[in-house]
Amino acid sequence: MWIFKFLSLCLILWLGGCAWLGKSPPEEKPEADWTVERFYAEAKAALNAGDYQKAITFYEQLEARYPFGVYAQQALLESAYAYYKFNEPESALAALDRFIRLYPLNSHMDYAHYLKGLVSFHRGVGIVERYIPRDETQRDPESARNALKSFKTLIQRFPDSKYAEDSAQRIVYLRNRLAQHEINVAHYYMRRGAYIGAINRAKYVVENYQRTPPVPEALTIMARGYEILGLNELKEDTLRILELSFPGHSGIAKARTLKAVK
């Protein structure tokens, strides 16, 4: 009898062990039940791992389910960075504009303006251009103007920000780039015989991009244009400024050798 009981007990233990071994692991908690902290942690982990598409998905879900509070604010800002790294500048700028509008007192507002400047700064640069240098003054200047505006806003509003120094350096670069773009257009107008258009473009550089390298070239174009149009008084005034500010510049002699249009 005791042998029968012993065998029955072993059978019960064996069946219980098989049931335990065959039991499926606990299922992963569905996203529908995630807390805001869980959503943020998953999004942040994906962001840090460079999986920007996954991070964007989690940030968007967080905002949709928990639209208020500090996590929603941080998610919106970090999703903008994820969009930027995922090469979706339009979505990044839209997220940043919404963040700046909705949370003007957020402690990371300086970073929002800095990131907005970076997105515009790199906007429109294709994969090929990242490896093959291109004259950026030939590109559409609108993104450069927007970047300049964002960096200037940062420095004006947050002069002590840790992003201010880098923004200041980028401002110098962007002003030089935009000034040279205007010079390129002015030269094009000169070649086409649109002298008034060329003069206006050059004048814009002198008035709006002081202390940039293209300024002497802008004065030269103005003087040459005035000479061709027979506006001698304006030509002499421009050459006087050019000689005082940039003595010995080669453009002075060039301007004096041109003749007025008959």
Side-chain angles (χ1 to χ4, degrees):
M1 180 65 66
W2 66 269
I3 294 177
F4 176 75
K5 292 181 178 179
F6 175 75
L7 293 174
S8 298
L9 179 62
C10 290
L11 179 62
I12 292 172
L13 292 175
W14 180 76
L15 291 173
C18 290
W20 180 80
L21 290 173
K23 186 178 181 180
S24 300
E27 293 184 1
E28 184 71 18
K29 192 173 183 181
E31 295 176 15
D33 297 329
W34 281 7
T35 63
V36 64
E37 292 83 2
R38 175 68 183 277
F39 267 116
Y40 182 76
E42 295 288 343
K44 188 69 171 179
L47 185 69
N48 292 337
D51 191 345
Y52 303 116
Q53 187 173 20
K54 185 176 181 180
I56 289 168
T57 299
F58 286 141
Y59 283 130
E60 289 178 343
Q61 290 179 334
L62 186 157
E63 275 199 273
R65 297 171 190 268
Y66 305 97
F68 306 106
V70 293
Y71 282 105
Q73 296 184 34
Q74 194 64 21
L76 181 56
L77 185 59
E78 292 180 10
S79 68
Y81 177 77
Y83 281 124
Y84 164 58
K85 297 296 289 184
F86 197 55
N87 198 28
E88 292 190 8
E90 296 292 344
S91 297
L93 291 173
L96 288 166
D97 285 337
R98 190 153 61 93
F99 179 87
I100 293 170
R101 184 179 70 255
L102 293 176
Y103 311 115
L105 300 180
N106 188 280
S107 59
H108 299 297
M109 186 55 62
D110 60 333
Y111 173 72
H113 286 288
Y114 177 69
L115 181 57
K116 187 176 179 181
L118 281 183
V119 174
S120 296
F121 188 87
H122 294 291
R123 187 180 182 187
V125 179
I127 295 177
V128 174
E129 290 179 285
R130 296 177 185 177
Y131 301 98
I132 301 177
R134 173 187 173 184
D135 183 0
E136 294 193 0
T137 64
Q138 302 292 336
R139 289 170 51 197
D140 183 356
E142 189 61 28
S143 292
R145 293 192 186 105
N146 291 336
L148 182 62
K149 181 179 178 180
S150 295
F151 290 133
K152 283 184 174 180
T153 299
L154 168 64
I155 290 180
Q156 290 167 0
R157 292 186 55 189
F158 308 99
D160 298 325
S161 170
K162 64 180 179 180
Y163 306 107
E165 182 178 354
D166 183 72
S167 296
Q169 294 176 356
R170 292 179 187 275
I171 286 173
V172 172
Y173 169 82
L174 287 167
R175 292 182 77 250
N176 292 346
R177 171 178 158 185
L178 288 168
Q180 187 59 51
H181 173 80
E182 295 296 327
I183 293 298
N184 293 344
V185 176
H187 279 304
Y188 172 78
Y189 284 160
M190 288 292 285
R191 291 193 299 270
R192 302 281 293 185
Y195 304 116
I196 295 177
I199 290 170
N200 288 336
R201 288 284 185 161
K203 186 184 296 184
Y204 184 84
V205 172
V206 174
E207 294 175 348
N208 294 277
Y209 297 113
Q210 299 90 346
R211 298 185 299 278
T212 61
V215 167
E217 183 66 16
L219 290 168
T220 299
I221 293 172
M222 291 172 61
R224 292 169 64 191
Y226 290 140
E227 174 70 22
I228 292 172
L229 295 177
L231 302 173
N232 292 325
E233 186 174 347
L234 290 175
K235 180 202 71 173
E236 292 300 328
D237 289 342
T238 303
L239 287 176
R240 191 177 303 110
I241 295 172
L242 182 60
E243 289 172 333
L244 290 174
S245 303
F246 307 96
H249 192 272
S250 59
I252 299 172
K254 291 180 181 179
R256 294 193 181 282
T257 59
L258 295 174
K259 302 298 182 182
V261 176
K262 300 298 184 181

